[in-house]
PDB file of all heavy atoms in Angstrom:
ATOM      1  N   GLN A 133      23.885  13.640   9.756  1.00  0.00           N
ATOM      2  CA  GLN A 133      23.573  14.851  10.547  1.00  0.00           C
ATOM      3  C   GLN A 133      22.237  14.709  11.285  1.00  0.00           C
ATOM      4  O   GLN A 133      21.757  15.647  11.913  1.00  0.00           O
ATOM      5  CB  GLN A 133      23.488  16.109   9.650  1.00  0.00           C
ATOM      6  CG  GLN A 133      24.661  16.344   8.736  1.00  0.00           C
ATOM      7  CD  GLN A 133      25.994  16.295   9.433  1.00  0.00           C
ATOM      8  OE1 GLN A 133      26.160  16.858  10.508  1.00  0.00           O
ATOM      9  NE2 GLN A 133      26.931  15.577   8.842  1.00  0.00           N
ATOM     10  N   GLY A 134      21.587  13.552  11.123  1.00  0.00           N
ATOM     11  CA  GLY A 134      20.318  13.324  11.823  1.00  0.00           C
ATOM     12  C   GLY A 134      19.111  13.863  11.075  1.00  0.00           C
ATOM     13  O   GLY A 134      18.045  14.065  11.654  1.00  0.00           O
ATOM     14  N   LEU A 135      19.272  14.096   9.782  1.00  0.00           N
ATOM     15  CA  LEU A 135      18.162  14.578   8.956  1.00  0.00           C
ATOM     16  C   LEU A 135      17.660  13.468   8.046  1.00  0.00           C
ATOM     17  O   LEU A 135      18.394  12.522   7.750  1.00  0.00           O
ATOM     18  CB  LEU A 135      18.640  15.737   8.067  1.00  0.00           C
ATOM     19  CG  LEU A 135      19.001  17.040   8.776  1.00  0.00           C
ATOM     20  CD1 LEU A 135      19.778  17.948   7.839  1.00  0.00           C
ATOM     21  CD2 LEU A 135      17.742  17.731   9.266  1.00  0.00           C
ATOM     22  N   ARG A 136      16.405  13.614   7.588  1.00  0.00           N
ATOM     23  CA  ARG A 136      15.924  12.751   6.500  1.00  0.00           C
ATOM     24  C   ARG A 136      16.396  13.374   5.190  1.00  0.00           C
ATOM     25  O   ARG A 136      16.581  14.592   5.110  1.00  0.00           O
ATOM     26  CB  ARG A 136      14.394  12.693   6.507  1.00  0.00           C
ATOM     27  CG  ARG A 136      13.822  12.209   7.818  1.00  0.00           C
ATOM     28  CD  ARG A 136      13.840  10.707   7.897  1.00  0.00           C
ATOM     29  NE  ARG A 136      13.926  10.309   9.302  1.00  0.00           N
ATOM     30  CZ  ARG A 136      13.788   9.063   9.715  1.00  0.00           C
ATOM     31  NH1 ARG A 136      13.580   8.090   8.856  1.00  0.00           N
ATOM     32  NH2 ARG A 136      13.871   8.779  10.991  1.00  0.00           N
ATOM     33  N   ALA A 137      16.532  12.527   4.184  1.00  0.00           N
ATOM     34  CA  ALA A 137      17.044  13.016   2.904  1.00  0.00           C
ATOM     35  C   ALA A 137      16.017  12.826   1.798  1.00  0.00           C
ATOM     36  O   ALA A 137      15.359  11.789   1.718  1.00  0.00           O
ATOM     37  CB  ALA A 137      18.318  12.261   2.542  1.00  0.00           C
ATOM     38  N   GLY A 138      15.915  13.844   0.961  1.00  0.00           N
ATOM     39  CA  GLY A 138      15.082  13.729  -0.237  1.00  0.00           C
ATOM     40  C   GLY A 138      15.942  14.043  -1.446  1.00  0.00           C
ATOM     41  O   GLY A 138      16.946  14.759  -1.345  1.00  0.00           O
ATOM     42  N   ILE A 139      15.539  13.485  -2.597  1.00  0.00           N
ATOM     43  CA  ILE A 139      16.253  13.789  -3.842  1.00  0.00           C
ATOM     44  C   ILE A 139      15.223  14.240  -4.878  1.00  0.00           C
ATOM     45  O   ILE A 139      14.183  13.596  -5.040  1.00  0.00           O
ATOM     46  CB  ILE A 139      17.108  12.589  -4.313  1.00  0.00           C
ATOM     47  CG1 ILE A 139      17.988  12.987  -5.495  1.00  0.00           C
ATOM     48  CG2 ILE A 139      16.267  11.366  -4.638  1.00  0.00           C
ATOM     49  CD1 ILE A 139      19.136  12.014  -5.761  1.00  0.00           C
ATOM     50  N   ALA A 140      15.528  15.357  -5.522  1.00  0.00           N
ATOM     51  CA  ALA A 140      14.577  15.958  -6.467  1.00  0.00           C
ATOM     52  C   ALA A 140      15.131  15.894  -7.879  1.00  0.00           C
ATOM     53  O   ALA A 140      16.349  15.970  -8.078  1.00  0.00           O
ATOM     54  CB  ALA A 140      14.349  17.424  -6.081  1.00  0.00           C
ATOM     55  N   ILE A 141      14.226  15.754  -8.848  1.00  0.00           N
ATOM     56  CA  ILE A 141      14.652  15.836 -10.257  1.00  0.00           C
ATOM     57  C   ILE A 141      13.835  16.897 -10.985  1.00  0.00           C
ATOM     58  O   ILE A 141      12.630  17.028 -10.795  1.00  0.00           O
ATOM     59  CB  ILE A 141      14.562  14.469 -10.999  1.00  0.00           C
ATOM     60  CG1 ILE A 141      13.200  13.791 -10.815  1.00  0.00           C
ATOM     61  CG2 ILE A 141      15.698  13.549 -10.592  1.00  0.00           C
ATOM     62  CD1 ILE A 141      12.989  12.564 -11.728  1.00  0.00           C
ATOM     63  N   LYS A 142      14.540  17.635 -11.835  1.00  0.00           N
ATOM     64  CA  LYS A 142      13.908  18.676 -12.641  1.00  0.00           C
ATOM     65  C   LYS A 142      13.158  18.015 -13.806  1.00  0.00           C
ATOM     66  O   LYS A 142      13.431  16.855 -14.162  1.00  0.00           O
ATOM     67  CB  LYS A 142      14.987  19.622 -13.196  1.00  0.00           C
ATOM     68  CG  LYS A 142      15.746  20.366 -12.121  1.00  0.00           C
ATOM     69  CD  LYS A 142      16.241  21.716 -12.614  1.00  0.00           C
ATOM     70  CE  LYS A 142      17.456  21.640 -13.486  1.00  0.00           C
ATOM     71  NZ  LYS A 142      17.964  22.993 -13.848  1.00  0.00           N
ATOM     72  N   PRO A 143      12.279  18.761 -14.466  1.00  0.00           N
ATOM     73  CA  PRO A 143      11.492  18.163 -15.553  1.00  0.00           C
ATOM     74  C   PRO A 143      12.310  17.488 -16.656  1.00  0.00           C
ATOM     75  O   PRO A 143      11.877  16.468 -17.196  1.00  0.00           O
ATOM     76  CB  PRO A 143      10.684  19.354 -16.094  1.00  0.00           C
ATOM     77  CG  PRO A 143      10.488  20.226 -14.896  1.00  0.00           C
ATOM     78  CD  PRO A 143      11.782  20.118 -14.126  1.00  0.00           C
ATOM     79  N   LYS A 144      13.470  18.011 -16.972  1.00  0.00           N
ATOM     80  CA  LYS A 144      14.229  17.401 -18.095  1.00  0.00           C
ATOM     81  C   LYS A 144      15.075  16.206 -17.660  1.00  0.00           C
ATOM     82  O   LYS A 144      15.692  15.550 -18.494  1.00  0.00           O
ATOM     83  CB  LYS A 144      15.117  18.452 -18.761  1.00  0.00           C
ATOM     84  CG  LYS A 144      14.309  19.483 -19.536  1.00  0.00           C
ATOM     85  CD  LYS A 144      15.205  20.321 -20.435  1.00  0.00           C
ATOM     86  CE  LYS A 144      14.419  21.418 -21.127  1.00  0.00           C
ATOM     87  NZ  LYS A 144      14.074  22.559 -20.242  1.00  0.00           N
ATOM     88  N   THR A 145      15.121  15.912 -16.398  1.00  0.00           N
ATOM     89  CA  THR A 145      15.937  14.789 -15.912  1.00  0.00           C
ATOM     90  C   THR A 145      15.102  13.506 -15.929  1.00  0.00           C
ATOM     91  O   THR A 145      14.013  13.468 -15.355  1.00  0.00           O
ATOM     92  CB  THR A 145      16.428  15.065 -14.470  1.00  0.00           C
ATOM     93  OG1 THR A 145      17.156  16.297 -14.482  1.00  0.00           O
ATOM     94  CG2 THR A 145      17.308  13.948 -13.952  1.00  0.00           C
ATOM     95  N   PRO A 146      15.604  12.476 -16.599  1.00  0.00           N
ATOM     96  CA  PRO A 146      14.829  11.225 -16.638  1.00  0.00           C
ATOM     97  C   PRO A 146      14.776  10.550 -15.272  1.00  0.00           C
ATOM     98  O   PRO A 146      15.709  10.660 -14.470  1.00  0.00           O
ATOM     99  CB  PRO A 146      15.589  10.352 -17.647  1.00  0.00           C
ATOM    100  CG  PRO A 146      16.934  10.947 -17.763  1.00  0.00           C
ATOM    101  CD  PRO A 146      16.863  12.390 -17.347  1.00  0.00           C
ATOM    102  N   VAL A 147      13.682   9.845 -15.048  1.00  0.00           N
ATOM    103  CA  VAL A 147      13.467   9.240 -13.730  1.00  0.00           C
ATOM    104  C   VAL A 147      14.445   8.106 -13.454  1.00  0.00           C
ATOM    105  O   VAL A 147      14.770   7.822 -12.298  1.00  0.00           O
ATOM    106  CB  VAL A 147      11.997   8.779 -13.586  1.00  0.00           C
ATOM    107  CG1 VAL A 147      11.687   7.587 -14.498  1.00  0.00           C
ATOM    108  CG2 VAL A 147      11.657   8.463 -12.142  1.00  0.00           C
ATOM    109  N   ASP A 148      14.933   7.458 -14.502  1.00  0.00           N
ATOM    110  CA  ASP A 148      15.757   6.272 -14.237  1.00  0.00           C
ATOM    111  C   ASP A 148      17.098   6.598 -13.581  1.00  0.00           C
ATOM    112  O   ASP A 148      17.762   5.700 -13.077  1.00  0.00           O
ATOM    113  CB  ASP A 148      15.901   5.371 -15.476  1.00  0.00           C
ATOM    114  CG  ASP A 148      16.307   6.131 -16.713  1.00  0.00           C
ATOM    115  OD1 ASP A 148      16.700   7.308 -16.571  1.00  0.00           O
ATOM    116  OD2 ASP A 148      16.247   5.554 -17.819  1.00  0.00           O
ATOM    117  N   VAL A 149      17.491   7.882 -13.535  1.00  0.00           N
ATOM    118  CA  VAL A 149      18.716   8.214 -12.790  1.00  0.00           C
ATOM    119  C   VAL A 149      18.545   7.881 -11.305  1.00  0.00           C
ATOM    120  O   VAL A 149      19.524   7.690 -10.574  1.00  0.00           O
ATOM    121  CB  VAL A 149      19.148   9.704 -12.944  1.00  0.00           C
ATOM    122  CG1 VAL A 149      19.381  10.066 -14.410  1.00  0.00           C
ATOM    123  CG2 VAL A 149      18.154  10.672 -12.297  1.00  0.00           C
ATOM    124  N   LEU A 150      17.292   7.821 -10.883  1.00  0.00           N
ATOM    125  CA  LEU A 150      17.030   7.563  -9.454  1.00  0.00           C
ATOM    126  C   LEU A 150      17.082   6.086  -9.096  1.00  0.00           C
ATOM    127  O   LEU A 150      17.235   5.724  -7.928  1.00  0.00           O
ATOM    128  CB  LEU A 150      15.658   8.120  -9.050  1.00  0.00           C
ATOM    129  CG  LEU A 150      15.466   9.632  -9.163  1.00  0.00           C
ATOM    130  CD1 LEU A 150      14.053  10.018  -8.715  1.00  0.00           C
ATOM    131  CD2 LEU A 150      16.501  10.384  -8.314  1.00  0.00           C
ATOM    132  N   TYR A 151      16.937   5.213 -10.083  1.00  0.00           N
ATOM    133  CA  TYR A 151      16.831   3.778  -9.776  1.00  0.00           C
ATOM    134  C   TYR A 151      18.069   3.254  -9.063  1.00  0.00           C
ATOM    135  O   TYR A 151      17.977   2.564  -8.056  1.00  0.00           O
ATOM    136  CB  TYR A 151      16.553   2.963 -11.040  1.00  0.00           C
ATOM    137  CG  TYR A 151      15.236   3.284 -11.721  1.00  0.00           C
ATOM    138  CD1 TYR A 151      14.991   2.882 -13.035  1.00  0.00           C
ATOM    139  CD2 TYR A 151      14.225   3.972 -11.049  1.00  0.00           C
ATOM    140  CE1 TYR A 151      13.788   3.165 -13.667  1.00  0.00           C
ATOM    141  CE2 TYR A 151      13.022   4.266 -11.688  1.00  0.00           C
ATOM    142  CZ  TYR A 151      12.812   3.861 -12.994  1.00  0.00           C
ATOM    143  OH  TYR A 151      11.629   4.140 -13.604  1.00  0.00           O
ATOM    144  N   GLU A 152      19.211   3.600  -9.620  1.00  0.00           N
ATOM    145  CA  GLU A 152      20.465   3.105  -9.042  1.00  0.00           C
ATOM    146  C   GLU A 152      20.606   3.589  -7.586  1.00  0.00           C
ATOM    147  O   GLU A 152      21.091   2.883  -6.711  1.00  0.00           O
ATOM    148  CB  GLU A 152      21.623   3.636  -9.895  1.00  0.00           C
ATOM    149  CG  GLU A 152      22.943   3.024  -9.574  1.00  0.00           C
ATOM    150  CD  GLU A 152      24.101   3.893 -10.067  1.00  0.00           C
ATOM    151  OE1 GLU A 152      23.859   4.823 -10.872  1.00  0.00           O
ATOM    152  OE2 GLU A 152      25.226   3.634  -9.642  1.00  0.00           O
ATOM    153  N   ILE A 153      20.140   4.810  -7.346  1.00  0.00           N
ATOM    154  CA  ILE A 153      20.258   5.403  -6.006  1.00  0.00           C
ATOM    155  C   ILE A 153      19.264   4.739  -5.047  1.00  0.00           C
ATOM    156  O   ILE A 153      19.592   4.410  -3.914  1.00  0.00           O
ATOM    157  CB  ILE A 153      20.031   6.930  -6.097  1.00  0.00           C
ATOM    158  CG1 ILE A 153      21.100   7.562  -6.989  1.00  0.00           C
ATOM    159  CG2 ILE A 153      20.005   7.578  -4.723  1.00  0.00           C
ATOM    160  CD1 ILE A 153      20.780   8.974  -7.471  1.00  0.00           C
ATOM    161  N   LEU A 154      18.060   4.495  -5.541  1.00  0.00           N
ATOM    162  CA  LEU A 154      17.020   3.906  -4.677  1.00  0.00           C
ATOM    163  C   LEU A 154      17.216   2.399  -4.484  1.00  0.00           C
ATOM    164  O   LEU A 154      16.739   1.837  -3.495  1.00  0.00           O
ATOM    165  CB  LEU A 154      15.639   4.184  -5.271  1.00  0.00           C
ATOM    166  CG  LEU A 154      15.162   5.642  -5.154  1.00  0.00           C
ATOM    167  CD1 LEU A 154      14.033   5.933  -6.158  1.00  0.00           C
ATOM    168  CD2 LEU A 154      14.690   5.960  -3.743  1.00  0.00           C
ATOM    169  N   ASP A 155      17.897   1.748  -5.418  1.00  0.00           N
ATOM    170  CA  ASP A 155      18.076   0.294  -5.329  1.00  0.00           C
ATOM    171  C   ASP A 155      19.287  -0.108  -4.479  1.00  0.00           C
ATOM    172  O   ASP A 155      19.551  -1.295  -4.289  1.00  0.00           O
ATOM    173  CB  ASP A 155      18.246  -0.317  -6.734  1.00  0.00           C
ATOM    174  CG  ASP A 155      16.953  -0.255  -7.529  1.00  0.00           C
ATOM    175  OD1 ASP A 155      15.885  -0.063  -6.916  1.00  0.00           O
ATOM    176  OD2 ASP A 155      17.015  -0.380  -8.777  1.00  0.00           O
ATOM    177  N   ASN A 156      20.008   0.862  -4.006  1.00  0.00           N
ATOM    178  CA  ASN A 156      21.219   0.594  -3.220  1.00  0.00           C
ATOM    179  C   ASN A 156      20.868  -0.173  -1.929  1.00  0.00           C
ATOM    180  O   ASN A 156      20.007   0.272  -1.169  1.00  0.00           O
ATOM    181  CB  ASN A 156      21.836   1.970  -2.874  1.00  0.00           C
ATOM    182  CG  ASN A 156      23.120   1.881  -2.093  1.00  0.00           C
ATOM    183  OD1 ASN A 156      23.527   0.812  -1.665  1.00  0.00           O
ATOM    184  ND2 ASN A 156      23.750   3.021  -1.909  1.00  0.00           N
ATOM    185  N   PRO A 157      21.494  -1.318  -1.697  1.00  0.00           N
ATOM    186  CA  PRO A 157      21.178  -2.077  -0.473  1.00  0.00           C
ATOM    187  C   PRO A 157      21.636  -1.381   0.807  1.00  0.00           C
ATOM    188  O   PRO A 157      21.140  -1.697   1.892  1.00  0.00           O
ATOM    189  CB  PRO A 157      21.924  -3.404  -0.667  1.00  0.00           C
ATOM    190  CG  PRO A 157      22.948  -3.137  -1.713  1.00  0.00           C
ATOM    191  CD  PRO A 157      22.470  -1.995  -2.558  1.00  0.00           C
ATOM    192  N   ASN A 158      22.551  -0.414   0.685  1.00  0.00           N
ATOM    193  CA  ASN A 158      23.019   0.312   1.873  1.00  0.00           C
ATOM    194  C   ASN A 158      22.036   1.436   2.204  1.00  0.00           C
ATOM    195  O   ASN A 158      22.075   2.514   1.621  1.00  0.00           O
ATOM    196  CB  ASN A 158      24.427   0.862   1.611  1.00  0.00           C
ATOM    197  CG  ASN A 158      24.985   1.524   2.858  1.00  0.00           C
ATOM    198  OD1 ASN A 158      24.296   1.646   3.870  1.00  0.00           O
ATOM    199  ND2 ASN A 158      26.230   1.952   2.781  1.00  0.00           N
ATOM    200  N   LYS A 159      21.168   1.161   3.167  1.00  0.00           N
ATOM    201  CA  LYS A 159      20.053   2.066   3.470  1.00  0.00           C
ATOM    202  C   LYS A 159      20.487   3.485   3.855  1.00  0.00           C
ATOM    203  O   LYS A 159      19.749   4.446   3.635  1.00  0.00           O
ATOM    204  CB  LYS A 159      19.171   1.484   4.599  1.00  0.00           C
ATOM    205  CG  LYS A 159      18.441   0.204   4.186  1.00  0.00           C
ATOM    206  CD  LYS A 159      17.431   0.475   3.066  1.00  0.00           C
ATOM    207  CE  LYS A 159      16.972  -0.789   2.359  1.00  0.00           C
ATOM    208  NZ  LYS A 159      16.975  -0.736   0.890  1.00  0.00           N
ATOM    209  N   GLU A 160      21.673   3.586   4.431  1.00  0.00           N
ATOM    210  CA  GLU A 160      22.153   4.939   4.817  1.00  0.00           C
ATOM    211  C   GLU A 160      22.323   5.849   3.609  1.00  0.00           C
ATOM    212  O   GLU A 160      22.354   7.063   3.735  1.00  0.00           O
ATOM    213  CB  GLU A 160      23.524   4.815   5.493  1.00  0.00           C
ATOM    214  CG  GLU A 160      23.477   4.186   6.845  1.00  0.00           C
ATOM    215  CD  GLU A 160      24.881   4.160   7.449  1.00  0.00           C
ATOM    216  OE1 GLU A 160      25.871   4.132   6.698  1.00  0.00           O
ATOM    217  OE2 GLU A 160      24.951   4.177   8.682  1.00  0.00           O
ATOM    218  N   GLU A 161      22.467   5.223   2.436  1.00  0.00           N
ATOM    219  CA  GLU A 161      22.706   6.007   1.218  1.00  0.00           C
ATOM    220  C   GLU A 161      21.451   6.124   0.353  1.00  0.00           C
ATOM    221  O   GLU A 161      21.515   6.579  -0.791  1.00  0.00           O
ATOM    222  CB  GLU A 161      23.818   5.340   0.399  1.00  0.00           C
ATOM    223  CG  GLU A 161      25.156   5.323   1.108  1.00  0.00           C
ATOM    224  CD  GLU A 161      26.217   4.541   0.352  1.00  0.00           C
ATOM    225  OE1 GLU A 161      25.887   3.879  -0.670  1.00  0.00           O
ATOM    226  OE2 GLU A 161      27.376   4.581   0.776  1.00  0.00           O
ATOM    227  N   VAL A 162      20.326   5.679   0.907  1.00  0.00           N
ATOM    228  CA  VAL A 162      19.077   5.681   0.128  1.00  0.00           C
ATOM    229  C   VAL A 162      18.179   6.811   0.626  1.00  0.00           C
ATOM    230  O   VAL A 162      17.980   6.964   1.838  1.00  0.00           O
ATOM    231  CB  VAL A 162      18.357   4.309   0.263  1.00  0.00           C
ATOM    232  CG1 VAL A 162      17.012   4.323  -0.447  1.00  0.00           C
ATOM    233  CG2 VAL A 162      19.237   3.203  -0.289  1.00  0.00           C
ATOM    234  N   PRO A 163      17.641   7.623  -0.287  1.00  0.00           N
ATOM    235  CA  PRO A 163      16.805   8.746   0.153  1.00  0.00           C
ATOM    236  C   PRO A 163      15.472   8.280   0.734  1.00  0.00           C
ATOM    237  O   PRO A 163      14.963   7.213   0.394  1.00  0.00           O
ATOM    238  CB  PRO A 163      16.584   9.545  -1.130  1.00  0.00           C
ATOM    239  CG  PRO A 163      16.766   8.573  -2.236  1.00  0.00           C
ATOM    240  CD  PRO A 163      17.775   7.563  -1.752  1.00  0.00           C
ATOM    241  N   ASP A 164      14.919   9.115   1.599  1.00  0.00           N
ATOM    242  CA  ASP A 164      13.632   8.813   2.233  1.00  0.00           C
ATOM    243  C   ASP A 164      12.468   9.322   1.386  1.00  0.00           C
ATOM    244  O   ASP A 164      11.316   9.017   1.674  1.00  0.00           O
ATOM    245  CB  ASP A 164      13.586   9.494   3.611  1.00  0.00           C
ATOM    246  CG  ASP A 164      14.786   9.107   4.460  1.00  0.00           C
ATOM    247  OD1 ASP A 164      14.822   7.952   4.908  1.00  0.00           O
ATOM    248  OD2 ASP A 164      15.712   9.928   4.628  1.00  0.00           O
ATOM    249  N   MET A 165      12.782  10.105   0.380  1.00  0.00           N
ATOM    250  CA  MET A 165      11.721  10.668  -0.467  1.00  0.00           C
ATOM    251  C   MET A 165      12.298  11.029  -1.834  1.00  0.00           C
ATOM    252  O   MET A 165      13.465  11.417  -1.931  1.00  0.00           O
ATOM    253  CB  MET A 165      11.151  11.934   0.194  1.00  0.00           C
ATOM    254  CG  MET A 165       9.991  12.564  -0.555  1.00  0.00           C
ATOM    255  SD  MET A 165       9.407  14.063   0.260  1.00  0.00           S
ATOM    256  CE  MET A 165      10.634  15.251  -0.295  1.00  0.00           C
ATOM    257  N   ALA A 166      11.476  10.868  -2.867  1.00  0.00           N
ATOM    258  CA  ALA A 166      11.850  11.349  -4.202  1.00  0.00           C
ATOM    259  C   ALA A 166      10.873  12.455  -4.588  1.00  0.00           C
ATOM    260  O   ALA A 166       9.663  12.314  -4.393  1.00  0.00           O
ATOM    261  CB  ALA A 166      11.791  10.219  -5.213  1.00  0.00           C
ATOM    262  N   LEU A 167      11.414  13.538  -5.111  1.00  0.00           N
ATOM    263  CA  LEU A 167      10.580  14.667  -5.535  1.00  0.00           C
ATOM    264  C   LEU A 167      10.642  14.796  -7.053  1.00  0.00           C
ATOM    265  O   LEU A 167      11.719  15.000  -7.627  1.00  0.00           O
ATOM    266  CB  LEU A 167      11.071  15.959  -4.859  1.00  0.00           C
ATOM    267  CG  LEU A 167      10.634  17.306  -5.452  1.00  0.00           C
ATOM    268  CD1 LEU A 167       9.124  17.419  -5.587  1.00  0.00           C
ATOM    269  CD2 LEU A 167      11.145  18.465  -4.592  1.00  0.00           C
TER     270      LEU A 167
END
Side-chain angles (χ1 to χ4, degrees):
Q133 309 309 316
L135 292 166
R136 303 278 152 171
I139 188 163
I141 50 170
K142 297 209 282 185
K144 290 193 184 76
T145 303
V147 69
D148 49 12
V149 302
L150 297 180
Y151 297 164
E152 190 200 346
I153 298 164
L154 288 161
D155 290 343
N156 182 353
N158 185 355
K159 294 295 164 227
E160 290 182 333
E161 296 174 353
V162 176
D164 306 288
M165 183 181 80
L167 162 54

